[in-house]
Amino acid sequence: MPTLLHLDSSPLEGSISRELTREYVKTWKNAHPDGTVIYRDLAANAPKPVDPAWIYASFTPEANRTPEQKAALAASDELIAELERADEYVFGVAMHNLAIPSVLKLWVDQIVRSGRTFSYDESGPQGLLHGKKAAILVASGGVYEAGTPAGAMNFVDPYLKMILGFIGVTDVTFVAAGGAAQLMTGAVDRETFLKPALEQVRKVAA
């Protein structure tokens, strides 16, 4: 039974990125009627920042951890278990100040963990999540795709591609809905703006 992990990170319920992920999940369910979707709204339930207790616990061998250390890693364990269980991931990402939302960075800090999602050998770091694929659906006020005048200012795509690759997820597809600021000025209506991105989302999800 295939499993999809669906994460949203925009603080706006009516955001472009959330509309894209909803369409992705709808299409995915149609293609996988027996599938399971795990949903996590990072804006509504933000992970805690990594603190000293988390750091010391993560570097303590599992067999030697105290009850307090196990508690410090409980949320991280839960988030990693979702990644391990799912076959596919879809991320709804709103570009904030040229980078990812702060709540998504908190999630990254909880799931990039030595011995769980990556390890080191003589050749360097090795990702431990294999056979997974991810779709990153990005909404931004401006246009920041590679090759555009502002492409060098996009720190969302390269960062997430690197982070996912670091934990072993190398099959990553990006769908961009750039130029959303046009909606605020009335230069384009929402349906027209979203049409090409939604069409691409359906192709990727199917």
Side-chain angles (χ1 to χ4, degrees):
M1 181 181 296
T3 300
L4 173 70
L5 174 60
H6 168 196
L7 295 100
D8 280 323
S9 59
S10 172
L12 300 176
E13 184 58 36
S15 71
I16 296 296
S17 64
R18 286 178 182 266
E19 185 161 349
L20 295 178
T21 59
R22 282 194 294 269
E23 188 65 24
Y24 187 103
V25 172
K26 177 183 175 182
T27 305
W28 188 90
K29 284 182 175 179
N30 287 336
H32 305 87
D34 61 337
T36 299
V37 177
I38 303 169
Y39 180 58
R40 185 167 288 274
D41 187 337
L42 298 175
N45 187 19
K48 293 182 178 179
V50 166
D51 58 15
W54 190 102
I55 294 171
Y56 288 124
S58 68
F59 284 99
T60 299
E62 185 174 1
N64 297 335
R65 287 178 191 147
T66 65
E68 292 77 16
Q69 289 178 319
K70 292 177 181 178
L73 295 176
S76 174
D77 288 336
E78 181 179 355
L79 296 176
I80 292 172
E82 292 175 350
L83 284 169
E84 293 172 335
R85 178 184 170 193
D87 306 290
E88 303 177 40
Y89 316 135
V90 59
F91 296 80
V93 183
M95 179 183 280
H96 287 176
N97 298 318
L98 310 178
I100 64 175
S102 58
V103 292
L104 183 53
K105 179 58 168 64
L106 291 172
W107 178 86
V108 167
D109 290 343
Q110 289 287 343
I111 62 93
V112 178
R113 198 168 120 199
S114 179
R116 287 299 308 273
T117 56
F118 75 95
S119 63
Y120 285 98
D121 61 20
E122 62 278 357
S123 61
Q126 303 295 324
L128 299 179
L129 297 178
H130 303 296
K132 316 286 188 179
K133 65 179 182 179
I136 314 294
L137 315 183
V138 184
S140 58
V143 178
Y144 298 96
E145 287 91 331
T148 64
M153 301 170 67
N154 180 355
F155 296 97
V156 173
D157 297 14
Y159 176 71
L160 290 177
K161 184 175 182 179
M162 184 279 295
I163 282 294
L164 289 170
F166 190 81
I167 62 175
V169 184
T170 57
D171 186 350
V172 181
T173 301
F174 288 87
V175 177
Q182 300 174 83
L183 299 175
M184 300 180 184
T185 63
V188 66
D189 64 87
R190 187 179 177 101
E191 182 178 354
T192 301
F193 172 78
L194 277 169
K195 184 177 179 181
L198 288 172
E199 289 176 350
Q200 191 175 356
V201 162
R202 295 183 191 110
K203 291 178 181 178
V204 174

